[in-house]
Amino acid sequence: MENKKLVPSVSVEADENDVTTWALPEGAIARLGRGREPDMVFSPDDQSLAIGTSLGIWLYDLATLSPIALWETERGMVGRIAFSSDGKWLAASNSDQILKVLDIQNGTCLAQVKTDDYISGLTFSYNNQYLAAAYTRSTIVEVWHAETCKPIAQFTSDAEKTGFYRPISFSPDTRLIASTSASDTTDNAEVIVVWDIERGQQIASLTAHTNWISTLCFSPCGQFLASGGEDGTVYVWDVSTWQQVQAYIDFGDVYRIMPSYSPEGILRAAIVNYDDTGPATISVCDLESGEQLYTDKFWGNTVQFSDADDWGNTVKFSNGSLLAYECRHAFINVWTPEHPHKRQFTHSPISFPTSVVFSQDSKTLAVEHHHEGVVLWDVASKRSRPAVKVESAGKNQFVYKTSSGKLYVASIQKDNVRLWEADGNGTPPIEGTGRKYWSAFPALAPIGTLFAYADADGSLKVWDVRSGNQLYELTHPLYQDIEDDEDDEDDEGDEIRKLEFSPDGSLFTSESRFTSLRLWDMESRKEIDAFPKHKVLGILGFSPCGQYLACAGEEILLWDIAHRKLHKTGLNQGPFISACRHYFVCSGDETVLYDLMRREIRHQLPLPEGSERIFCAAFSPCERYLAGGAWWQEGLEKVPIYVWEVASGKHLATLRGHRTDVQDLAISPDNTLLASASYDGSILLWDLTPYL
């Protein structure tokens, strides 16, 4: 690779030293987070690490571990990336099934092609002439001319079944190409399939692995092909005879093994041992001598560990000496020969945000991530810190804001439940145990006085936040007569799925998996029998005014709490999304603002032509403004966010920046900022002052 300055894709007036301002959409002032589901690849000269994410392609300088470029941000949603052998080009596929070849010096697109399936394996030939891909849902391997993306050849395996994660590799002389497919005879096993490119024929089908194959690599001399995967075994095959000449199997309890040849022809492997009770262990060893070159314990992406397609991207091992792996959804660890000890840099968060809330002074944004910790972002500096600094808190956390503006975090570690003050002294006011992992999220009363969570047997433990003592238990009966179905993986039996307090903490709702509903009076500690649960299919939530409990039925229903009466709304076109003291919004064929006091539709909120309904919404604390976010639909490059004036229903702005579904929205108490959290792994901060 030529030593030229790489050009990042940045917005006008962006600060090249502040990556939160790179490639921002119009109206946004910062992007927090760098995208989810990373695919990583080292440059051939060992100087750079490219990371493809849902936001685009980040290029990091390995000497400084700093980002130096951001490309492909218009659509993002990058799935697979690969460097050409000379380092001049970078290939990238995305979720729209578009494959592009980029000029590494400036990120411009040289050529592109639309594929018929999602690419799971991508590689250039050693002479840089060809680009090849293997697909997720078919046994096809496709080859193009690298610089033009004109089709050269297409190969289909004799096996009828495809593999979910399909590595692909050219031989050094570009005569052969190897990939994988699922075995037609053995469950979970995969076979290695080799084609002769010039003859256009399949010449070998190699069987030995008993599970997914994650890695294929030819030796630099071209005489051998090495394979490794989830069965914890490395096999070496003689290319001239296609006979197995070596098997490396004695590695203990291995979760995944990835072989790689050094330029000198030394076969090494990165080995991952994953233990769901503790950190994973990753090591690099010389397979022939058994010498261990590197070892580390790390908390990896546990969600991706269980998914072969995504998991393969979180650890990359190349040239027998370059290792990068994701740690704690937040960092990338790198090990190279020039630095014998691991180095770590932030590329956080890799998980996606599910909830955002501003502090009362608008200076801090609290962000909850899927199966991850709660992060506090300083709005002015755009720097983050964990809301709970205690490691033992675990990473499964939930954020709450009380009516007084105080921020709390609940954490789940195994069956331990704790409640913390965000940015507190590290001592949890509440510590409990017994919560089943997949049951309902814990609940905090909006006034901050009561905290509750569900035990596995349906008992509801209620705690006093001030004293830290458990007050009592309520019992929500669970169905016990559900027949076990060995073929139904989702048949987990009944369990509590939703808990919620009323705004003043006087009422409490619990809902089980099989739609068993309960409404509790917290003073008497008894179920409210007058609640017509036989007419209700599910609980939507309490109105912030405390007058109503919104319920799902044949239409949206309002349970008048004081008068013990059920009111129909006539709204049956879509889900209840968000509420303030006087209104709630729902969206179906039309997006409407419903007046809670008058129990009638106040406005039909206008959406721009071609836009569909919203899926999340947030009122400003003053209730003068409303923001709504959509989900991605086919044909969209960027998902819309709408802003309305509540009193008039007037559409004020449409903001577009996220590549996929908007998960949550929050308007700052001073009405200057809108925070939008997306499944693309980022939070955008928008300046609302031009529109309000």
Side-chain angles (χ1 to χ4, degrees), residues 660-679:
T660 188
D661 311 341
V662 179
Q663 301 283 316
D664 196 28
L665 297 164
I667 298 175
S668 63
D670 60 9
N671 292 333
T672 61
L673 295 175
L674 170 67
S676 58
S678 171
Y679 190 68

Side-chain angles (χ1 to χ4, degrees), residues 257-293:
I257 187 166
M258 291 154 282
S260 175
Y261 282 99
S262 72
E264 299 78 25
I266 300 172
L267 183 59
R268 296 169 179 154
I271 305 167
V272 179
N273 180 291
Y274 177 62
D275 182 353
D276 60 5
T277 65
T281 299
I282 189 165
S283 58
V284 176
C285 75
D286 185 312
L287 290 180
E288 186 172 345
S289 68
E291 179 187 2
Q292 185 165 288
L293 306 176

Side-chain angles (χ1 to χ4, degrees), residues 133-240:
Y135 295 110
T136 299
R137 297 178 298 192
S138 74
T139 58
I140 293 174
V141 165
E142 203 154 7
V143 182
W144 300 272
H145 185 272
E147 193 170 5
T148 64
C149 283
K150 291 183 178 180
I152 298 297
Q154 188 178 90
F155 305 104
T156 303
S157 168
D158 293 338
E160 295 182 359
K161 295 189 296 184
T162 185
F164 191 57
Y165 177 77
R166 300 182 65 205
I168 187 169
S169 181
F170 279 100
S171 62
D173 60 5
T174 316
R175 182 176 61 88
L176 306 175
I177 189 168
S179 187
T180 64
S181 66
S183 170
D184 286 333
T185 59
T186 306
D187 289 343
N188 296 328
E190 288 194 336
V191 300
I192 302 167
V193 185
V194 185
W195 291 273
D196 185 302
I197 297 177
E198 292 183 359
R199 293 159 53 191
Q201 295 179 348
Q202 180 177 320
I203 61 172
S205 179
L206 312 177
T207 59
H209 287 282
T210 59
N211 216 315
W212 287 312
I213 300 170
S214 64
T215 308
L216 293 173
C217 58
F218 284 91
S219 61
C221 65
Q223 185 178 350
F224 303 106
L225 173 66
S227 58
E230 191 171 351
D231 59 4
T233 302
V234 172
Y235 294 106
V236 179
W237 313 83
D238 188 310
V239 170
S240 60

Side-chain angles (χ1 to χ4, degrees), residues 414-445:
K414 297 182 180 179
D415 66 345
N416 296 316
V417 184
R418 284 177 279 188
L419 183 70
W420 313 77
E421 293 183 15
D423 249 1
N425 61 8
T427 302
I430 291 175
E431 294 189 71
T433 188
R435 177 191 179 273
K436 185 178 179 182
Y437 180 73
W438 287 114
S439 60
F441 297 160
L444 179 69

Side-chain angles (χ1 to χ4, degrees), residues 370-632:
H370 179 64
H371 293 304
E372 270 302 301
V374 174
V375 174
L376 301 179
W377 287 89
D378 183 273
V379 173
S381 68
K382 289 168 285 189
R383 294 182 178 178
S384 66
R385 63 190 185 277
V388 180
K389 299 180 176 64
V390 180
E391 285 288 328
S392 61
K395 286 290 188 175
N396 194 20
Q397 298 178 6
F398 313 91
V399 66
Y400 311 89
K401 183 179 179 181
T402 67
S403 53
S404 65
K406 195 168 185 177
L407 294 174
Y408 284 94
V409 175
S411 69
I412 310 297
Q413 177 73 344
K414 297 182 180 179
D415 66 345
N416 296 316
V417 184
R418 284 177 279 188
L419 183 70
W420 313 77
E421 293 183 15
D423 249 1
N425 61 8
T427 302
I430 291 175
E431 294 189 71
T433 188
R435 177 191 179 273
K436 185 178 179 182
Y437 180 73
W438 287 114
S439 60
F441 297 160
L444 179 69
I447 59 173
T449 56
L450 299 175
F451 178 72
Y453 63 90
D455 206 339
D457 61 1
S459 61
L460 311 175
K461 301 179 186 295
V462 181
W463 297 69
D464 179 75
V465 175
R466 294 187 182 92
S467 68
N469 297 324
Q470 182 175 332
L471 298 176
Y472 48 83
E473 288 188 9
L474 307 173
T475 301
H476 183 127
L478 299 178
Y479 291 118
Q480 303 297 328
D481 58 350
I482 304 299
E483 294 184 3
D484 291 333
D485 184 351
E486 294 181 358
D487 296 328
D488 185 3
E489 295 181 358
D490 294 329
D491 187 8
E492 303 169 353
D494 201 10
E495 61 189 10
I496 305 300
R497 286 294 178 93
K498 186 174 183 179
L499 302 172
E500 185 175 354
F501 284 99
S502 63
D504 62 1
S506 63
L507 300 178
F508 183 59
T509 65
S510 57
E511 180 178 341
S512 78
R513 182 184 182 207
F514 296 107
T515 64
S516 170
L517 308 172
R518 298 289 187 275
L519 178 62
W520 307 88
D521 184 304
M522 300 307 284
E523 183 176 355
S524 67
R525 306 178 189 179
K526 294 181 179 180
E527 184 181 353
I528 298 176
D529 295 329
F531 179 62
K533 55 189 177 185
H534 61 286
K535 296 182 180 181
V536 175
L537 299 178
I539 301 298
L540 299 175
F542 287 97
S543 63
C545 64
Q547 184 174 347
Y548 297 105
L549 174 63
C551 308
E554 294 182 357
E555 60 182 274
I556 293 177
L557 304 170
L558 295 176
W559 169 248
D560 188 320
I561 294 170
H563 300 93
R564 300 293 198 264
K565 186 177 181 181
L566 197 65
H567 299 286
K568 295 182 178 181
T569 65
L571 297 172
N572 56 7
Q573 73 267 38
F576 173 95
I577 296 178
S578 182
C580 64
R581 287 172 296 173
H582 300 100
Y583 306 100
F584 73 77
V585 60
C586 66
S587 188
D589 296 333
E590 295 177 331
T591 299
V592 301
L593 188 68
Y594 189 88
D595 191 315
L596 285 166
M597 301 298 110
R598 299 180 179 181
R599 293 202 302 274
E600 64 182 19
I601 294 176
R602 176 67 179 268
H603 298 297
Q604 291 184 349
L605 299 173
L607 298 179
E609 185 177 354
S611 297
E612 295 189 1
R613 60 188 180 135
I614 61 173
F615 289 87
C616 67
F619 288 89
S620 62
C622 65
E623 299 189 8
R624 293 172 56 192
Y625 306 105
L626 171 68
W631 283 13
W632 182 84

